[in-house]
Amino acid sequence: MEPLRVLELYSGVGGMHHALRESCIPAQVVAAIDVNTVANEVYRYNFPYTQLLAKTIEGITLQEFDRLSFDMILMSPPCQPFTRDLLLQTIENCGFQYQEFLLSPTSLGIPNSRLRYFLIAKLQSEPLPFQAPGQVLMEFPKIESAHPQKYAMDVEHKIQGKNTEPNITFDSSIQCSGKDTILFKLETAEEIHRKNQQDSDLSVQMLKDFLEDDIDMNQYLLPPKSLQRYALLLDIVQPTCRRSMCFTKGYGSYIEGTGSVLQTAEDVQIENIYKSLANLSQEEKITKLLMLKLRYFTPKEIANLLGFPPEFGFPEKITVKQRYRLLGNSLNVHVVAKLIKILYEKF
């Protein structure tokens, strides 16, 4: 069988291309298209022999697309949640059968939470073997079952049942008296219990399996100014943890909600540090917090968590800030590779 000819749209740093390689299906990327010049430098560095077009897809004519003669399109477009209905209507009108997914890397044992929407589609008249009308699969399908609905969950039901974070304010004098009581670091007993459950899930790897051995610690340590301002908002993990937050493009520049930070002083108890801050001066608080030796994950470590292979790299001139921006909110290579393999092998 001839290798599939694959077109990669919104190619970024090549996550889809790496996933295609990992899937091991016979395929060749005939062209990659992205308008981001910095991302294109990284793509070209990792795939020097792939045709790379630095333009928007709107700027490509139908004739140009036809000349590429592709069998498959892979793409990870910018977040556009309101285009989903239009997309589904279009692919249905064109005769495609499709299946939607909401998947997180944790389902493959990777200690990084990033629930993302995926869609696979194929031009055929028969429904997909695991298709569940009106439902979005929350795990990878088990095709061999005669009851595909067993493995599907209604997304709306999932969202309605999801725990919401309480609206909280910090008061170090509060005593623990309920699930929404703040214990320390702007966390409730319920949140701490959830994190402890994640760290106890032996099906997920520890973060230490994804860390670099030899780095310049001083380059990645959180500065005192950041500790002083954001200490109560940090999501702190240790190498033995089995979880981390989604890393966004603002990681390394902003603190709140951009990703977890790593506690490298594993012999220091974080609870003891935070509970001792209440009556200290600002300087004393910073001295205490510095004992945790908190640092950012390196771009390479984030790439590891996202499933990029060991040989993935950046041109030397790409700054650390640019690397964070390029990796932020990226797809997970392992998740996409599994979906590509399912799409290819089951149809």
Side-chain angles (χ1 to χ4, degrees), residues 45-313:
Y45 181 80
N46 289 277
F47 301 106
Y49 303 110
T50 299
Q51 179 182 190
L52 181 59
L53 305 177
K55 55 173 67 179
T56 63
I57 62 173
E58 295 87 352
I60 302 176
T61 66
L62 181 58
Q63 291 74 22
E64 288 176 300
F65 276 122
D66 285 342
R67 281 197 294 269
L68 293 171
S69 186
F70 52 85
D71 307 299
M72 176 188 287
I73 296 176
L74 298 176
M75 65 176 178
S76 179
C79 295
Q80 296 177 343
F82 303 110
T83 63
R84 171 181 170 271
D85 291 342
L86 179 61
L87 174 64
L88 296 184
Q89 182 180 353
T90 300
I91 62 177
E92 284 177 346
N93 291 341
C94 292
F96 282 79
Q97 297 290 334
Y98 67 90
Q99 179 61 62
E100 300 170 281
F101 298 83
L102 279 177
L103 299 170
S104 178
T106 53
S107 64
L108 293 180
I110 301 165
N112 183 239
S113 299
R114 175 59 168 103
L115 191 66
R116 281 188 69 129
Y117 170 86
F118 298 91
L119 182 146
I120 60 176
K122 183 161 184 174
L123 186 61
Q124 62 182 39
S125 57
E126 294 297 319
L128 306 190
F130 45 82
Q131 197 168 29
Q135 293 182 315
V136 178
L137 297 184
M138 304 295 292
E139 62 180 77
F140 291 102
K142 300 174 177 62
I143 309 297
E144 58 273 13
S145 173
H147 305 286
Q149 281 78 2
K150 175 184 177 183
Y151 302 104
M153 297 179 65
D154 191 338
V155 174
E156 183 177 354
H157 173 74
K158 182 78 173 179
I159 294 174
Q160 288 176 350
K162 185 179 179 180
N163 292 330
T164 55
E165 294 188 7
N167 184 18
I168 55 180
T169 55
F170 182 72
D171 182 349
S172 59
S173 65
I174 294 178
Q175 299 298 314
C176 182
S177 59
K179 70 176 183 178
D180 288 338
T181 302
I182 300 156
L183 302 182
F184 61 90
K185 205 176 72 61
L186 285 185
E187 290 182 323
T188 65
E190 184 179 28
E191 290 171 315
I192 293 175
H193 176 67
R194 173 178 55 81
K195 290 182 177 181
N196 287 338
Q197 281 186 316
Q198 290 174 314
D199 288 332
S200 301
D201 185 353
L202 299 183
S203 69
V204 179
Q205 292 177 264
M206 290 184 180
L207 286 170
K208 64 181 181 181
D209 297 334
F210 300 83
L211 302 181
E212 292 190 85
D213 293 327
D214 186 22
I215 66 167
D216 178 7
M217 279 283 292
N218 292 328
Q219 182 181 1
Y220 295 101
L221 285 173
L222 270 69
K225 185 177 180 180
S226 296
L227 291 175
Q228 179 179 347
R229 185 172 181 179
Y230 297 106
L232 301 180
L233 300 174
L234 296 171
D235 181 67
I236 300 173
V237 294
Q238 296 177 337
T240 54
C241 287
R242 302 177 190 271
R243 60 176 181 84
S244 62
M245 288 176 54
C246 169
F247 297 98
T248 74
K249 66 180 183 179
Y251 191 70
S253 299
Y254 303 97
I255 299 292
E256 187 174 359
T258 60
S260 303
V261 295
L262 187 68
Q263 177 188 338
T264 58
E266 297 182 71
D267 57 336
V268 180
Q269 292 295 318
I270 184 173
E271 294 89 345
N272 295 339
I273 295 294
Y274 273 86
K275 289 179 179 180
S276 69
L277 300 179
N279 300 316
L280 300 180
S281 66
Q282 288 299 323
E283 288 187 2
E284 290 172 326
K285 288 179 180 179
I286 292 175
T287 299
K288 279 281 189 180
L289 291 167
L290 286 172
M291 294 173 61
L292 295 171
K293 296 183 180 179
L294 301 177
R295 72 163 175 88
Y296 294 108
F297 284 79
T298 70
K300 180 62 175 175
E301 290 167 344
I302 294 176
N304 292 343
L305 286 165
L306 293 172
F308 285 85
E311 63 270 19
F312 172 78

